Amino acid sequence: MRLPTFPEFLFAMSMVFFIAFISAFNSELLDGEPLCELNLLNEKQESCNLNDNSFTNFRLVVHTGGSSKTVTTKVPISITIITNDEVIKHESILPKAASTGAGRKYHSNLNYGVYDLPKGSTTITIIANDNVKRFSLFNAKVLKNANNYYVYLLGLIFLVILFFSIYNRKSIFVKGIGKPLPYILYFFVVLLVVTWAL
């Protein structure tokens, strides 16, 4: 049995970290602890009150269900964060590209991003636009203390190992137009990872 070469070993390791990167992000979306859950299907607007000062931010995830007609439908959401001292508004937010399926046809978990929480008692109001009427399910979850650090750390390790895997195979691409091709492809992979959850 032939042992893998060093570049092949590096590429295999990069794939392990890529899978860990995707799994960590999906785990945060699917298994994060909700501070509150809001059904936006009927009233299009719901609020929740937070009194715990230990939370510094939250991630908004929406579990949707629909049909073939709603697959490409985007629902902009507005978030208003109210404290005793200030009002913070985030208008017309669209779901991020980094979202995940929910295990059923035409169901998905949409990542609407991470938002800072001011100190003190806070009221979070979430408003969906009229497109929400096209869905059969539209439940928003406010997840506590979102942490993208470890997700991006795994992504960074993946990119570093992948680069060295390509670099150690450079002798394959030394001639003709094929020489810069792996680095061009690598550039697009970097863009994908860096902008994953922005």
Side-chain angles (χ1 to χ4, degrees):
M1 183 179 70
R2 184 179 74 87
L3 293 175
T5 63
F6 183 62
E8 289 172 343
F9 172 76
L10 285 178
F11 182 76
M13 288 300 298
S14 73
M15 291 300 100
V16 170
F17 279 99
F18 177 72
I19 293 170
F21 166 64
I22 299 296
S23 299
F25 183 77
N26 285 348
S27 176
E28 177 148 330
L29 258 63
L30 300 174
D31 302 324
E33 184 177 344
L35 296 170
C36 57
E37 299 185 37
L38 310 171
N39 182 358
L40 300 177
L41 196 61
N42 296 324
E43 300 296 331
K44 297 192 301 182
Q45 175 176 331
E46 292 284 347
S47 299
C48 65
N49 298 315
L50 306 179
N51 298 309
D52 193 332
N53 288 328
S54 65
F55 307 133
T56 58
N57 62 33
F58 68 92
R59 183 188 297 278
L60 180 62
V61 176
V62 176
H63 182 197
T64 69
S67 65
S68 59
K69 297 179 181 178
T70 61
V71 171
T72 59
T73 301
K74 303 294 185 184
V75 180
I77 279 178
S78 296
I79 301 172
T80 303
I81 302 170
I82 302 173
T83 69
N84 292 333
D85 301 320
E86 60 182 328
V87 176
I88 303 169
K89 292 187 177 182
H90 303 277
E91 303 283 351
S92 299
I93 306 160
L94 290 172
K96 312 298 180 184
S99 300
T100 182
R104 295 174 58 188
K105 194 173 184 180
Y106 306 129
H107 282 234
S108 60
N109 289 293
L110 304 178
N111 170 33
Y112 278 86
V114 177
Y115 304 91
D116 291 331
L117 272 176
K119 296 282 187 181
S121 179
T122 306
T123 299
I124 300 173
T125 301
I126 300 172
I127 306 170
N129 86 340
D130 288 339
N131 284 349
V132 75
K133 296 176 181 178
R134 302 179 62 185
F135 290 83
S136 59
L137 176 68
F138 205 86
N139 289 337
K141 291 184 179 182
V142 176
L143 305 181
K144 73 175 186 179
N145 282 346
N147 184 4
N148 281 334
Y149 171 76
Y150 69 95
V151 177
Y152 279 113
L153 177 62
L154 291 169
L156 178 62
I157 295 172
F158 156 67
L159 291 175
V160 170
I161 297 176
L162 181 62
F163 175 82
F164 283 109
S165 170
I166 294 171
Y167 182 79
N168 281 279
R169 284 172 167 256
K170 64 181 180 180
S171 60
I172 299 174
F173 309 102
V174 292
K175 295 180 181 179
I177 61 172
K179 185 175 181 180
L181 182 60
Y183 296 102
I184 293 172
L185 294 176
Y186 178 77
F187 173 75
F188 287 105
V189 172
V190 171
L191 284 181
L192 174 66
V193 172
V194 169
T195 60
W196 180 254
L198 296 180

